[in-house]
Amino acid sequence: MCSRRCPSIPTCVSPKARARSRFFPSKDFVSRPGTSSRGRSTRLRSAASMQRPSPMFAVCLWLLLGACAGEGGEKSIPSVDLAALEPALARRIELAVAELRGDPDGAESWKRLGLLYESNDYLGLAAECYREAIERRSAPELWYRLGIALSSAGLREQAAEAMARCVELEDGYAPAHWRLGSYRFDLNEFEAAEHSFRKALEADPKHLGGWSGLARVQLQRGEGEEAVETLESALKVKPGAPLVRKLLRSAYFEAGRLAEARALHVPWERIGSMGGDPWQREIRSLRRKTPMELALERLLTRDYQGVVDVMEPFVRENPRDPNAYAYLASGYNGLGRGGLARQTIATALEKDADSIVLLRVLAALHRGANELPQALEVLTRILEIDGLDLDAWRQKGDLEARAGRDADALESWQRIVRFDERDDELLLRIARTQLRLERWTDAQGTFERLIRLGAQRASACTGLAEALVALGRADEARRILERAPELDPGGEALRRRLAGETEPGRDG
């Protein structure tokens, strides 16, 4: 038993908060990752926060407690007051601690307990478990978890050190480079942050975190045009990404392109994922799901009554959340209660008339009822608010095509391919529409583009040949069909017809 007296936690901390972590301030005491912004020091704290335990106090307490444990010759297992927890969580922690007692030298046992603590915001306990796991096996994914836990506790310098060790061991994991870049950015180490973001893009050119991080560095330096170029490249990787659109608006302002900035109205919307992160799967599986996550899960499995059961009380508690109304209306609609779904959306639009989320659901309700003019009107409204909403452009084009408005559909679809040049199915629809409108030269160019992409080859060869025939270039069309590795039935028929026209006695 340790004879030293360890510092007690200040009396201003409630018993419930004290149970959260013996070592670091809980999530109530520190800012979450990414809360710093340009022009504001991450070291500034409010008067209230100055009464709370500081990270330095937490680290000292951690070291002293470790010394106390060491005097007894036996490593203590970090734990909390189980009586203060929900029974289910207490039982899970109890089982994980028991498993660790049976395998105190196993890195995986320490990691599993750390994951359980981290998923419930016991960040100091999680960090200690990850350090113990690293002592037994210095693996990149363990350093990754330690870095995230330290960052969530507000200890960015230590988090950056841990994440730097992670990328030393595994240089090809883009999310680790992105997180390291984010930590360095918040520490005002902009050159190092830029290096990390570029490393993330080297590892995965589709990782939005790398693109957005690089743009943030450029904006910090006042390089507006460079940031615009970076973000436009990101939109080609993932068209319509919410975070990219938000940053692009800022970049337009920075570059002095005020008209474009004002035209790009970006309402509130969930940021979404930065990119795939397999090392986060374990922690996600342990975290308690939010009502929104439960609603989405049930919506995807068509459990519409389950959606309603979750969202009705949530809407009552959060009457200004447009996403809550959107989920609730979708649940009502799935149950065949279309009138109630529309009433729900109308109520929400009274609070936020420019909510893209609500307008999308309203457009879907009109589309499901085959009310094409009303659906098109709502989609037009969405595009007035956000001209880069590529999904709205696609839906608008599809509805215009259904209504027989081929020229309008063509214009809507072409808005999309400006940002997503490799959508071969959409390119094929554009090319066929150009044929129907007898825009032969445009159709030729689109079909040739498809062939260069190596996509839709059979249909593209047939369409290109049709366009060339219409332009009076039958010999070229014949050669294309003869050399094509495969043809669809229309292409075979055209090839036979063109071959027949060159038989003896058929050439005039």
Side-chain angles (χ1 to χ4, degrees):
M1 188 73 173
C2 176
S3 59
R4 294 184 194 171
R5 288 192 62 189
C6 296
S8 60
I9 296 177
T11 56
C12 64
V13 182
S14 68
K16 182 177 180 181
R18 189 182 308 134
R20 286 186 171 178
S21 174
R22 295 179 298 168
F23 306 105
F24 296 141
S26 73
K27 66 176 182 178
D28 295 328
F29 299 155
V30 295
S31 60
R32 303 299 290 171
T35 56
S36 66
S37 62
R38 183 179 178 183
R40 183 182 67 191
S41 171
T42 56
R43 300 183 187 278
L44 293 178
R45 295 189 294 167
S46 66
S49 69
M50 292 175 69
Q51 299 177 8
R52 297 168 180 160
S54 68
M56 183 59 69
F57 168 85
V59 172
C60 292
L61 179 56
W62 181 6
L63 294 173
L64 284 168
L65 285 169
C68 291
E71 287 189 2
E74 181 181 342
K75 183 67 184 178
S76 66
I77 296 176
S79 186
V80 293
D81 181 7
L82 299 181
L85 306 179
E86 295 178 1
L89 176 58
R91 180 60 178 160
R92 291 173 72 186
I93 292 176
E94 193 174 35
L95 291 173
V97 169
E99 177 191 356
L100 186 53
R101 286 201 178 99
D103 183 24
D105 295 323
E108 283 301 309
S109 298
W110 283 102
K111 176 188 172 184
R112 279 192 288 273
L113 182 58
L115 286 167
L116 186 56
Y117 284 141
E118 185 186 354
S119 65
N120 287 279
D121 292 315
Y122 295 98
L123 302 173
L125 300 178
E128 185 183 10
C129 289
Y130 294 143
R131 287 192 184 278
E132 291 293 335
I134 287 168
E135 285 184 12
R136 291 154 177 79
R137 181 170 64 90
S138 182
E141 64 270 19
L142 294 176
W143 285 104
Y144 189 69
R145 290 256 57 87
L146 176 61
I148 293 175
L150 291 169
S151 172
S152 298
L155 303 175
R156 291 302 174 87
E157 291 184 11
Q158 294 92 323
E161 291 171 5
M163 204 59 70
R165 182 67 180 129
C166 171
V167 299
E168 285 177 11
L169 296 172
E170 175 51 74
D171 187 53
Y173 194 59
H177 287 292
W178 163 62
R179 290 183 188 277
L180 178 56
S182 299
Y183 303 159
R184 286 171 167 169
F185 185 93
D186 289 342
L187 292 168
N188 297 329
E189 298 172 2
F190 301 118
E191 186 175 343
E194 179 182 359
H195 174 76
S196 294
F197 292 135
R198 291 191 184 279
K199 291 289 289 184
L201 291 174
E202 286 179 19
D204 180 6
K206 295 183 178 180
H207 194 277
L208 283 185
W211 290 109
S212 60
L214 181 57
R216 287 170 63 205
V217 172
Q218 291 165 335
L219 287 171
Q220 175 70 27
R221 292 173 177 163
E223 300 169 353
E225 287 295 346
E226 290 83 352
V228 168
E229 183 179 345
T230 296
L231 294 165
E232 287 179 345
S233 298
L235 282 176
K236 292 179 180 179
V237 172
K238 190 170 182 180
L243 175 60
V244 175
R245 296 205 310 272
K246 292 175 191 293
L247 288 172
L248 182 58
R249 188 165 187 254
S250 299
Y252 281 144
F253 275 118
E254 186 69 45
R257 296 160 64 171
L258 304 185
E260 291 168 277
R262 294 189 182 104
L264 184 60
H265 175 66
V266 183
W268 183 91
E269 189 174 352
R270 290 185 65 184
I271 295 299
S273 171
M274 292 295 101
D277 192 351
W279 289 356
Q280 281 286 75
R281 287 174 187 160
E282 287 180 292
I283 197 74
R284 290 194 192 107
S285 67
L286 291 171
R287 282 202 172 109
R288 186 181 303 172
K289 294 178 180 175
T290 66
M292 294 289 193
E293 291 170 330
L294 288 171
L296 176 60
E297 185 179 89
R298 293 175 183 182
L299 196 60
L300 293 174
T301 58
R302 300 187 178 183
D303 178 10
Y304 301 117
Q305 186 59 54
V307 174
V308 171
D309 291 343
V310 169
M311 295 316 298
E312 279 186 335
F314 188 79
V315 164
R316 286 194 293 270
E317 296 173 6
N318 302 270
R320 301 197 68 84
D321 189 332
N323 290 281
Y325 284 98
Y327 278 121
L328 181 57
S330 299
Y332 286 144
N333 190 56
L335 293 172
R337 301 162 69 181
L340 188 53
R342 294 184 190 217
Q343 181 182 338
T344 301
I345 293 297
T347 300
L349 285 171
E350 290 176 2
K351 300 179 176 69
D352 186 358
D354 290 340
S355 170
I356 297 289
V357 172
L358 296 172
L359 291 170
R360 281 177 182 162
V361 175
L362 182 58
L365 293 175
H366 286 309
R367 191 170 61 248
N370 206 33
E371 299 168 353
L372 301 191
Q374 294 90 330
L376 282 169
E377 183 180 348
V378 175
L379 289 168
T380 300
R381 174 63 184 141
I382 290 173
L383 293 167
E384 288 173 356
I385 298 169
D386 181 6
L388 286 178
D389 191 327
L390 302 190
D391 186 58
W393 281 115
R394 185 184 297 272
Q395 291 183 42
K396 183 172 179 285
D398 292 348
L399 291 180
E400 287 164 339
R402 282 174 58 185
R405 294 163 50 184
D406 282 345
D408 292 333
L410 187 60
E411 183 179 348
S412 295
W413 290 332
Q414 286 176 327
R415 296 286 190 123
I416 300 171
V417 296
R418 291 176 191 172
F419 292 97
D420 189 0
E421 300 174 350
R422 301 188 65 86
D423 188 335
D424 56 285
E425 292 185 3
L426 186 58
L427 283 171
L428 183 60
R429 295 183 73 181
I430 288 172
R432 285 174 170 167
T433 303
Q434 289 167 333
L435 284 180
R436 284 198 300 274
L437 294 172
E438 299 184 359
R439 299 181 183 179
W440 311 120
T441 303
D442 291 343
Q444 176 194 347
T446 307
F447 282 122
E448 287 175 344
R449 186 174 173 183
L450 275 167
I451 290 171
R452 285 196 300 271
L453 289 174
Q456 308 283 351
R457 185 170 292 275
S459 298
C461 288
T462 299
L464 177 56
E466 290 177 11
L468 291 171
V469 169
L471 289 168
R473 295 156 60 182
D475 288 342
E476 290 180 57
R478 189 182 305 112
R479 284 195 295 271
I480 286 170
L481 294 172
E482 288 173 352
R483 295 171 183 171
E486 57 177 330
L487 292 173
D488 59 15
E492 286 288 354
L494 181 58
R495 183 183 63 79
R496 288 194 296 270
R497 180 167 68 82
L498 292 174
E501 291 177 359
T502 60
E503 291 176 0
R506 298 292 298 274
D507 274 279

